[in-house]
């Protein structure tokens, strides 16, 4: 467990927090005027290892060698010159801070960090964080890495939260549904909402699709039937050639049978605390790992059927209400284009002309409904 304090005066800025994986949708911009919830679970923090936030430079202002040294292998809209290591927390976990009115970038429906840190230490006035709550952005507080210090917090047993095993995660972690209600920022009494594909699923699919294309080696890729097919098959079939022997991607992870020797890629979960991907043993150990957030992988591997049981009185644990199932979204699934572009541009395979062409024509693919 850790707390973050002001680097200027040492005043506490957060409650005690435990570190978790950076959500794949941390930098997602979803739709227009959409009301997204809080990014981080209470009591947790995550670290963005790359530079992120202002000041920004346009791609044509960045030397290609510098970009490659920073792990960017294809053109992006802009490159951050901010310090690496920004820390993201839930807004409710911040303490001892005040908003800085003159740094109120955003204001479509809320704040973003276009003007730099918009929160200051209440004790000394040092700018220490950026509150993000504008429409179409995940609500969060990003602590500036050069303005805060991370200090360990002693716990009762001096051990802190243990890292869960894969078996424990499979038993205890809730799966992330692929469909959820989406609300507009100006919704009144939560009436202005509709059922849609989950933004988290779309972001996770964007990252995974970039890895699938990078590992395809200019060959078609097959994926399992079910939700994996719904998330990836249409884009893979449209973006890859069909006249060569296919490579095979399979779901793999805790609780599933071991993948066979014919698996070229494995769709595997990442550990929600450490971010490390699950690794298969045996013949599939050399297969290319395609990462999925654990909750999304769990629903993809073990889809829930929403079989409600009519009950009266208090609902026992494990019993569902007899509510109707969530409506099916009115459109086909689309991977998040921003997450896809961000991921693929940072894979060395993006230097391949075929993948570079996909990135250059991403707007066309979006209009075709692939993203």
């Amino acid at each position: 467990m850790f707390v973050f304090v002001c680097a200027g005066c040492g005043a506490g800025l957060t409650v005690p927090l435990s570190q978790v994986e950076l959500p794949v949708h941390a930098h997602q911009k979803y739709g227009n005027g959409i009301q997204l919830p809080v990014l981080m679970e209470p009591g947790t923090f995550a670290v963005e290892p790359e530079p992120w936030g202002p000041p920004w430079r346009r791609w044509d202002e960045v030397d290609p060698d510098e970009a490659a040294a920073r792990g960017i292998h294809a053109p992006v809209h802009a490159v951050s010159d901010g310090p690496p290591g920004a820390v993201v927390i839930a807004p409710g976990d911040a303490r001892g801070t005040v908003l800085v009115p003159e740094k109120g970038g955003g204001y479509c429906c809320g704040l973003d960090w276009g003007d730099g840190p918009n929160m200051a230490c209440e004790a000394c006035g040092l700018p220490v964080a950026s509150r993000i709550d504008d429409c179409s952005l995940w609500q969060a507080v990003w602590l500036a890495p050069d303005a805060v210090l991370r200090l360990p917090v002693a716990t009762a047993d001096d051990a802190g939260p243990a890292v869960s095993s894969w078996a424990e995660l499979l038993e205890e972690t809730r799966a992330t549904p692929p469909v959820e209600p989406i609300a507009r920022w100006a919704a009144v009494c939560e009436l202005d909402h509709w059922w849609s594909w989950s933004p988290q699923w779309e972001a996770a699919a964007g990252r995974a699709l970039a890895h699938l294309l990078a590992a395809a080696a200019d060959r078609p890729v097959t994926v399992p039937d079910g939700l994996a097919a719904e998330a990836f098959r249409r884009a893979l079939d449209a973006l890859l050639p069909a006249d060569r022997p296919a490579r095979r991607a399979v779901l793999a992870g805790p609780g599933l049978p071991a993948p066979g020797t014919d698996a070229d890629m494995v769709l595997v979960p990442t550990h929600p605390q450490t971010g490390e991907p699950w690794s298969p043993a045996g013949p599939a150990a050399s297969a290319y790992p395609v990462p999925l957030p654990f909750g999304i992988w769990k629903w993809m591997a073990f889809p829930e059927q929403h079989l409600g049981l009519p009950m009266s009185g208090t609902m026992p644990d494990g019993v569902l209400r007899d509510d109707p199932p969530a409506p099916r979204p009115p459109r086909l699934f689309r991977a998040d284009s921003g997450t896809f572009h961000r991921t693929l541009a940072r894979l060395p395979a993006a230097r391949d002309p075929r993948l570079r062409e996909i990135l250059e024509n991403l707007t066309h693919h979006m209009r075709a409904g692939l993203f």
Side-chain angles (χ1 to χ4, degrees):
M1 301 290 286
F2 300 90
V3 295
F4 292 85
V5 302
C6 174
C9 68
L13 300 176
T14 70
V15 300
L17 304 169
S18 59
Q19 186 169 2
V20 297
E21 175 188 25
L22 180 71
V24 66
H25 52 284
H27 303 303
Q28 182 184 29
K29 182 174 176 62
Y30 185 82
N32 182 30
I34 304 301
Q35 185 177 10
L36 291 177
V38 172
L39 175 67
M40 302 298 296
E41 291 292 329
T44 67
F45 75 94
V47 178
E48 170 55 82
E50 289 191 23
W52 191 260
W56 298 90
R57 279 185 292 158
R58 294 178 60 85
W59 177 255
D60 56 14
E61 300 172 349
V62 180
D63 183 86
D65 291 337
E66 178 193 353
R70 293 176 58 169
I72 304 175
H73 306 286
V76 295
H77 176 68
V79 174
S80 171
D81 279 341
V87 174
V88 63
I89 65 173
D93 286 337
R95 298 290 186 271
T97 59
V98 294
L99 286 172
V100 182
E102 59 269 25
K103 293 290 187 179
Y107 283 123
C108 176
C109 298
L111 299 169
D112 66 23
W113 54 7
D115 293 337
N118 57 27
M119 298 175 69
C121 172
E122 188 176 24
C124 71
L126 179 69
V128 292
S130 294
R131 170 67 186 264
I132 310 297
D133 57 17
D134 207 352
C135 60
S136 301
L137 301 176
W138 290 87
Q139 299 179 50
V141 166
W142 289 84
L143 303 174
D146 54 355
V148 300
L149 299 174
R150 181 169 69 177
L151 302 179
V153 176
T155 60
D157 56 4
D158 289 328
V163 176
S164 300
S165 68
W166 290 108
E168 290 171 334
L169 290 173
L170 191 61
E171 179 69 24
E172 300 168 2
T173 302
R174 296 177 60 184
T176 304
V179 177
E180 65 180 67
I182 301 295
R184 295 189 189 276
W185 188 260
V188 178
C189 299
E190 300 183 349
L191 296 177
D192 187 10
H193 72 272
W194 64 96
W195 286 89
S196 176
W197 295 108
S198 163
Q200 295 184 50
W201 270 71
E202 293 187 3
R207 180 178 68 175
L209 181 60
H211 283 278
L212 287 167
L213 291 174
D218 208 25
R219 291 164 56 182
V221 172
T222 64
V223 293
D225 292 334
L227 284 168
E230 193 133 30
F232 305 120
R233 184 173 291 165
R234 192 164 58 95
L236 290 171
D237 289 349
L239 298 174
L240 292 172
D243 57 350
R244 301 184 62 188
R247 307 197 78 195
R248 184 167 179 257
V250 301
L251 279 163
L256 290 177
T261 57
D262 59 341
D264 301 293
M265 311 164 207
V266 283
L267 297 156
V268 296
T270 56
H271 197 289
Q273 292 170 285
T274 68
E276 292 296 317
W278 183 86
S279 299
S286 60
Y288 185 104
V290 178
L292 289 168
F294 192 91
I296 290 172
W297 171 88
K298 183 177 179 181
W299 196 293
M300 194 176 289
F302 306 101
E304 300 182 14
Q305 300 301 320
H306 294 293
L307 298 178
L309 298 178
M311 298 289 292
S312 61
T314 303
M315 303 298 292
D317 291 340
V319 177
L320 301 177
R321 293 185 181 276
D322 58 341
D323 298 325
R328 184 172 177 82
R331 62 169 174 83
L332 297 174
F333 184 91
R334 297 193 297 255
D336 182 72
S337 60
T339 309
F340 170 79
H341 190 289
R342 174 177 168 80
T343 303
L344 186 54
R346 285 160 174 79
L347 297 177
R351 294 191 291 259
D352 183 275
R354 176 183 57 82
L355 296 180
R356 185 68 64 88
E357 183 180 4
I358 291 175
L359 290 176
E360 291 172 350
N361 294 321
L362 189 56
T363 301
H364 168 76
H365 298 313
M366 292 169 64
R367 290 171 179 163
L370 297 181
F371 295 93

